[in-house]
Amino acid sequence: LCQQKIRRNMKKYISVKLQTRNNRPLSDAAMIERSWSLMNESMRAIDLQKRRLRSIEPEDAEFIFRWWADLQFLIVALRRLRRSAELATRVSTAKSIVTDAIKQFDRELPMLQKMRNVGEHIDDYAVDSEKRRYKEVERFSLQVGSFDGTTYEWLGARLNIDEAQFASTHLWEAVRSVVKNWPKDSKN
Protein backbone atom coordinates (compact mmCIF):
# COMPACT_ATOMS: atom_id res chain seq x y z
CA LEU A 1 0.00 0.00 0.00
CA CYS A 2 2.83 2.38 0.89
CA GLN A 3 4.67 1.50 -2.33
CA GLN A 4 1.51 2.17 -4.35
CA LYS A 5 1.17 5.61 -2.76
CA ILE A 6 4.82 6.39 -3.49
CA ARG A 7 4.38 5.31 -7.14
CA ARG A 8 1.22 7.40 -7.48
CA ASN A 9 2.98 10.46 -6.05
CA MET A 10 5.97 9.88 -8.34
CA LYS A 11 3.64 9.74 -11.36
CA LYS A 12 2.17 13.10 -10.35
CA TYR A 13 5.67 14.50 -9.83
CA ILE A 14 6.83 13.25 -13.22
CA SER A 15 3.73 14.67 -14.87
CA VAL A 16 4.43 18.12 -13.43
CA LYS A 17 8.14 17.82 -14.26
CA LEU A 18 7.37 16.96 -17.88
CA GLN A 19 5.11 19.98 -18.20
CA THR A 20 7.78 22.35 -16.98
CA ARG A 21 10.46 20.77 -19.17
CA ASN A 22 8.25 21.28 -22.21
CA ASN A 23 7.92 24.97 -21.36
CA ARG A 24 4.17 24.63 -21.15
CA PRO A 25 2.46 26.56 -18.40
CA LEU A 26 1.30 24.47 -15.47
CA SER A 27 -2.35 23.56 -15.48
CA ASP A 28 -4.43 24.59 -12.48
CA ALA A 29 -4.43 20.99 -11.27
CA ALA A 30 -0.63 20.80 -11.56
CA MET A 31 -0.24 24.12 -9.74
CA ILE A 32 -2.42 22.92 -6.86
CA GLU A 33 -0.55 19.61 -6.76
CA ARG A 34 2.80 21.40 -6.68
CA SER A 35 1.65 23.71 -3.90
CA TRP A 36 0.30 20.76 -1.91
CA SER A 37 3.44 18.68 -2.39
CA LEU A 38 5.74 21.50 -1.28
CA MET A 39 3.49 22.30 1.68
CA ASN A 40 3.57 18.69 2.83
CA GLU A 41 7.35 18.75 2.69
CA SER A 42 7.42 21.98 4.69
CA MET A 43 5.00 20.62 7.30
CA ARG A 44 7.29 17.63 7.82
CA ALA A 45 10.24 19.98 8.25
CA ILE A 46 8.29 22.10 10.76
CA ASP A 47 7.34 18.99 12.74
CA LEU A 48 10.95 17.77 12.62
CA GLN A 49 12.36 21.06 13.88
CA LYS A 50 9.78 21.33 16.66
CA ARG A 51 10.60 17.79 17.79
CA ARG A 52 14.34 18.52 17.70
CA LEU A 53 13.82 21.69 19.72
CA ARG A 54 12.17 19.68 22.46
CA SER A 55 14.60 16.78 22.50
CA ILE A 56 18.16 15.97 23.42
CA GLU A 57 20.23 15.27 20.32
CA PRO A 58 23.60 13.49 20.05
CA GLU A 59 25.42 16.64 18.95
CA ASP A 60 24.27 18.67 21.97
CA ALA A 61 27.41 17.83 23.96
CA GLU A 62 29.63 19.34 21.25
CA PHE A 63 27.33 22.00 19.79
CA ILE A 64 25.70 23.89 22.63
CA PHE A 65 23.89 26.23 20.24
CA ARG A 66 22.18 23.43 18.30
CA TRP A 67 18.84 24.89 19.40
CA TRP A 68 19.78 28.15 17.64
CA ALA A 69 20.45 26.34 14.37
CA ASP A 70 17.22 24.36 14.69
CA LEU A 71 15.25 27.56 15.27
CA GLN A 72 16.81 29.10 12.16
CA PHE A 73 15.81 25.99 10.17
CA LEU A 74 12.29 26.23 11.63
CA ILE A 75 12.00 29.82 10.42
CA VAL A 76 13.05 28.78 6.92
CA ALA A 77 10.53 25.90 6.92
CA LEU A 78 7.73 28.22 8.08
CA ARG A 79 8.46 30.75 5.34
CA ARG A 80 8.74 27.99 2.76
CA LEU A 81 5.31 26.73 3.80
CA ARG A 82 3.90 30.21 3.22
CA ARG A 83 5.61 30.55 -0.17
CA SER A 84 4.31 27.13 -1.18
CA ALA A 85 0.78 28.19 -0.27
CA GLU A 86 1.21 31.27 -2.45
CA LEU A 87 1.49 28.95 -5.46
CA ALA A 88 -2.12 27.86 -4.89
CA THR A 89 -3.28 31.49 -5.10
CA ARG A 90 -2.37 31.43 -8.79
CA VAL A 91 -5.42 29.25 -9.34
CA SER A 92 -8.57 31.35 -9.45
CA THR A 93 -10.78 28.79 -7.69
CA ALA A 94 -8.32 28.56 -4.78
CA LYS A 95 -7.24 32.20 -4.60
CA SER A 96 -9.78 33.49 -2.08
CA ILE A 97 -9.57 30.71 0.50
CA VAL A 98 -5.78 30.43 0.36
CA THR A 99 -5.20 34.19 0.36
CA ASP A 100 -7.35 34.50 3.48
CA ALA A 101 -5.39 31.67 5.13
CA ILE A 102 -2.06 33.33 4.25
CA LYS A 103 -3.27 36.62 5.74
CA GLN A 104 -4.25 34.78 8.93
CA PHE A 105 -0.84 33.05 8.99
CA ASP A 106 0.86 36.45 8.67
CA ARG A 107 -1.27 37.92 11.47
CA GLU A 108 -0.39 35.02 13.76
CA LEU A 109 3.33 35.12 12.92
CA PRO A 110 4.12 38.79 12.20
CA MET A 111 7.79 38.40 13.15
CA LEU A 112 8.48 35.64 10.66
CA GLN A 113 9.36 37.74 7.62
CA LYS A 114 11.90 39.81 9.55
CA MET A 115 13.49 36.76 11.18
CA ARG A 116 13.77 34.97 7.84
CA ASN A 117 15.16 38.03 6.07
CA VAL A 118 17.86 38.59 8.66
CA GLY A 119 18.76 34.90 8.75
CA GLU A 120 18.92 34.55 4.97
CA HIS A 121 20.81 37.80 4.38
CA ILE A 122 23.16 37.38 7.30
CA ASP A 123 26.06 38.64 5.18
CA ASP A 124 24.43 42.07 4.84
CA TYR A 125 23.44 42.27 8.49
CA ALA A 126 26.85 41.10 9.73
CA VAL A 127 28.47 44.25 8.32
CA ASP A 128 25.56 46.70 8.77
CA SER A 129 25.23 46.95 4.99
CA GLU A 130 22.98 49.57 3.47
CA LYS A 131 21.24 46.72 1.60
CA ARG A 132 19.58 45.55 4.84
CA ARG A 133 15.78 45.66 4.68
CA TYR A 134 15.56 46.18 8.45
CA LYS A 135 18.05 48.98 9.15
CA GLU A 136 17.33 48.84 12.89
CA VAL A 137 18.91 45.37 13.05
CA GLU A 138 22.59 45.86 13.76
CA ARG A 139 25.38 43.33 13.59
CA PHE A 140 25.66 43.14 17.38
CA SER A 141 22.14 41.67 17.68
CA LEU A 142 22.60 38.78 15.25
CA GLN A 143 23.67 36.16 17.75
CA VAL A 144 21.79 37.47 20.76
CA GLY A 145 18.60 35.65 21.63
CA SER A 146 17.01 33.14 23.94
CA PHE A 147 14.79 30.07 23.85
CA ASP A 148 12.86 28.76 26.84
CA GLY A 149 11.66 25.56 25.16
CA THR A 150 8.58 27.25 23.69
CA THR A 151 9.37 30.86 22.83
CA TYR A 152 12.30 32.12 20.80
CA GLU A 153 13.24 35.74 21.43
CA TRP A 154 15.38 37.37 18.77
CA LEU A 155 15.61 40.77 17.10
CA GLY A 156 13.11 42.22 19.57
CA ALA A 157 10.44 39.70 18.52
CA ARG A 158 9.03 36.49 19.97
CA LEU A 159 8.24 33.28 18.10
CA ASN A 160 6.22 30.70 20.02
CA ILE A 161 6.86 27.35 18.32
CA ASP A 162 3.50 25.90 19.40
CA GLU A 163 1.64 28.87 17.96
CA ALA A 164 3.76 28.64 14.81
CA GLN A 165 2.81 25.00 14.36
CA PHE A 166 -0.87 25.83 14.91
CA ALA A 167 -0.72 28.65 12.33
CA SER A 168 1.06 26.31 9.91
CA THR A 169 -1.57 23.63 10.32
CA HIS A 170 -4.34 26.15 9.64
CA LEU A 171 -2.64 27.26 6.42
CA TRP A 172 -1.99 23.65 5.39
CA GLU A 173 -5.64 22.77 6.04
CA ALA A 174 -6.80 25.61 3.78
CA VAL A 175 -4.87 24.17 0.84
CA ARG A 176 -5.92 20.65 1.82
CA SER A 177 -9.56 21.74 1.51
CA VAL A 178 -8.84 22.90 -2.03
CA VAL A 179 -7.12 19.61 -2.86
CA LYS A 180 -9.95 17.51 -1.35
CA ASN A 181 -12.56 19.42 -3.34
CA TRP A 182 -10.59 19.42 -6.58
CA PRO A 183 -12.42 17.60 -9.40
CA LYS A 184 -11.05 14.06 -9.65
CA ASP A 185 -11.06 14.12 -13.44
CA SER A 186 -8.77 17.20 -13.67
CA LYS A 187 -5.66 16.64 -15.72
CA ASN A 188 -2.21 17.58 -14.59
Side-chain angles (χ1 to χ4, degrees):
L1 183 64
C2 186
Q3 290 295 332
Q4 289 173 343
K5 188 174 184 179
I6 291 170
R7 277 194 291 274
R8 188 173 55 242
N9 286 339
M10 284 304 295
K11 284 181 182 180
K12 288 179 183 178
Y13 172 79
I14 291 168
S15 173
V16 171
K17 192 72 171 168
L18 287 174
Q19 283 189 34
T20 59
R21 186 177 304 141
N22 293 330
N23 294 325
R24 294 187 316 208
L26 290 176
S27 66
D28 286 352
M31 187 68 71
I32 293 297
E33 178 60 36
R34 177 58 57 94
S35 172
W36 181 237
S37 175
L38 291 170
M39 288 186 75
N40 278 309
E41 183 180 302
S42 294
M43 286 299 291
R44 298 281 180 154
I46 291 164
D47 290 343
L48 172 69
Q49 292 312 132
K50 184 178 173 195
R51 179 195 54 79
R52 283 180 53 86
L53 285 162
R54 294 231 165 102
S55 66
I56 296 171
E57 298 294 325
E59 62 272 14
D60 288 348
E62 300 286 323
F63 183 31
I64 61 170
F65 290 108
R66 191 258 315 161
W67 60 270
W68 186 277
D70 282 335
L71 282 160
Q72 293 296 315
F73 292 138
L74 175 63
I75 290 165
V76 170
L78 289 164
R79 282 295 291 177
R80 187 167 182 184
L81 178 78
R82 186 192 184 286
R83 299 291 303 261
S84 299
E86 286 177 338
L87 289 172
T89 66
R90 297 179 186 192
V91 176
S92 60
T93 56
K95 187 174 181 112
S96 178
I97 189 171
V98 178
T99 298
D100 289 347
I102 290 171
K103 287 177 183 175
Q104 180 65 32
F105 182 84
D106 291 344
R107 281 191 298 273
E108 292 175 13
L109 303 174
M111 77 303 289
L112 194 58
Q113 183 175 354
K114 180 179 183 180
M115 287 181 169
R116 198 259 356 148
N117 183 275
V118 173
E120 286 296 304
H121 300 286
I122 197 78
D123 53 331
D124 290 331
Y125 289 92
V127 297
D128 291 335
S129 167
E130 285 302 311
K131 294 192 283 185
R132 294 170 297 160
R133 177 175 290 166
Y134 300 97
K135 304 285 192 232
E136 73 279 8
V137 176
E138 296 177 334
R139 67 182 180 267
F140 303 110
S141 61
L142 295 181
Q143 294 175 295
V144 178
S146 65
F147 181 62
D148 64 10
T150 300
T151 303
Y152 179 39
E153 293 190 48
W154 184 47
L155 306 174
R158 298 167 54 98
L159 173 66
N160 179 303
I161 65 173
D162 295 325
E163 291 171 3
Q165 187 176 39
F166 181 80
S168 299
T169 300
H170 182 261
L171 181 56
W172 179 85
E173 286 174 346
V175 175
R176 184 177 85 179
S177 72
V178 171
V179 170
K180 286 179 83 172
N181 294 309
W182 198 261
K184 300 294 181 221
D185 59 349
S186 292
K187 295 190 183 203
N188 285 0

